[in-house]
Amino acid sequence: MIKEMREVFRYREMLFNTVRRELRARYKGSVLGFLWTFLNPLLTLLVYTLVFSAVLRVSVPQYSFGLYLFTGLLPWLFLSGSIQMSTSLIHNNANLIKKIHFPRLVLPLAMVATNLVNLLLSSLILVAALLIERVTFSWAILYMPLLLVVLVAFVLGLSLLLSSLTVYFRDLEHIAGIVTMAWFYLTPIVYTTGMLPPELYAWLRFNPMTPLFDAIHDCVLYARAPEPFGLLYAAAVSVVLLVAGFLVFGRLQRRFAEEL
């Protein structure tokens, strides 16, 4: 793994150029262009807010449901978008892989980095919403960089696994979409964990995104430090997933050109 990362470092210019190209090409040719970076999460937020707040009448303590939802929706869009893109990542770059020698790790790293930049840019809207609703910030907000690192490690590990395994098992592309949809409702984004029966919450705690998204809501909205054992569990799962992703990707990438 260290050897592969050293090779990626030697190709860092290619990595940066790939991220830059993907950011420029994402909305190339559209009328609104770069504004879709902000409009996509806002429109998604509008749909979920109408369904869960107006129709199902879900409410959360202290702040509006829309603000609570948006706080969790942005990192979830980063997670789900990376999953969706990773399942077709290698096949979409088949010509590049067959013709040019470069570390294949550049592809998933560039994809996750591109989605991370979109997450950070979209977060500007969240900051504005927090200021409008006069959310009280505290020292707990300093945990956010750590939470972001845990999330990125989890997403990168999962992306490495999916992008490499899908080369050999194309059905994963369809399975991942179904699992991601179910996973969304098993994560406290459109509800709080306090709304759940204790026996159900006991099971949902095994989902590493449950303590992580609880921690995000606590730090951003409720001026509380994350629950330490839950955060430690999410971090441990992320590290294990990241290491497994590097190992599996490194082993399977040797036959990418043949399989494609």
Side-chain angles (χ1 to χ4, degrees):
M1 187 169 68
I2 297 176
K3 179 182 177 181
E4 292 168 345
M5 289 307 299
R6 286 177 178 171
E7 189 177 8
V8 169
F9 182 76
R10 290 198 297 269
Y11 282 79
R12 60 189 180 277
E13 187 173 346
M14 178 183 181
L15 175 61
F16 296 144
N17 288 335
T18 302
V19 173
R20 189 181 300 114
R21 186 182 69 248
E22 288 298 321
L23 288 171
R24 289 176 178 174
R26 180 157 294 191
Y27 303 116
K28 185 178 180 180
S30 64
V31 176
L32 297 178
F34 181 72
L35 288 177
W36 281 111
T37 301
F38 306 104
L39 288 176
N40 273 331
L42 283 175
L43 293 175
T44 305
L45 171 67
L46 177 62
V47 172
Y48 280 114
T49 301
L50 288 175
V51 172
F52 288 96
S53 181
V55 179
L56 299 180
R57 300 187 181 277
V58 178
S59 61
V60 296
Q62 193 171 344
Y63 297 110
S64 68
F65 175 77
L67 184 61
Y68 177 88
L69 175 61
F70 201 35
T71 304
L73 189 62
L74 286 181
W76 178 261
L77 291 176
F78 167 61
L79 170 64
S80 61
S82 297
I83 290 175
Q84 180 181 2
M85 294 175 66
S86 64
T87 55
S88 57
L89 181 66
I90 303 302
H91 282 92
N92 289 345
N93 290 277
N95 291 333
L96 188 64
I97 290 174
K98 291 178 180 180
K99 296 178 181 178
I100 302 176
H101 171 75
F102 68 98
R104 308 318 188 201
L105 275 172
V106 167
L107 297 175
L109 286 173
M111 183 270 293
V112 172
T114 302
N115 289 334
L116 178 60
V117 171
N118 276 330
L119 169 63
L120 296 176
L121 291 175
S122 301
S123 297
L124 296 175
I125 304 176
L126 176 60
V127 172
L130 294 171
L131 294 174
I132 291 172
E133 290 221 13
R134 298 181 181 180
V135 174
T136 302
F137 295 101
S138 75
W139 61 269
I141 200 70
L142 297 177
Y143 278 96
M144 280 306 299
L146 174 60
L147 300 181
L148 184 60
V149 168
V150 173
L151 178 63
V152 171
F154 185 91
V155 169
L156 179 56
L158 189 57
S159 298
L160 289 169
L161 285 173
L162 289 175
S163 60
S164 56
L165 290 173
T166 309
V167 175
Y168 302 88
F169 309 103
R170 291 302 302 270
D171 289 345
L172 278 178
E173 186 172 350
H174 306 287
I175 296 172
I178 297 172
V179 171
T180 303
M181 181 177 61
W183 196 3
F184 174 80
Y185 293 102
L186 296 175
T187 304
I189 300 173
V190 296
Y191 58 84
T192 67
T193 50
M195 298 176 181
L196 302 174
E199 58 273 13
L200 179 58
Y201 178 61
W203 284 103
L204 289 186
R205 289 180 66 182
F206 289 102
N207 171 13
M209 293 298 97
T210 294
L212 184 59
F213 277 70
D214 275 345
I216 292 173
H217 285 122
D218 284 342
C219 293
V220 175
L221 296 180
Y222 300 116
R224 296 194 297 256
E227 195 277 315
F229 292 106
L231 180 56
L232 183 61
Y233 169 68
V237 172
S238 297
V239 170
V240 171
L241 189 63
L242 182 60
V243 172
F246 272 111
L247 293 176
V248 172
F249 190 94
R251 185 176 182 83
L252 296 183
Q253 68 173 339
R254 302 166 188 170
R255 294 183 54 206
F256 280 176
E258 299 174 18
E259 294 294 327
L260 296 173

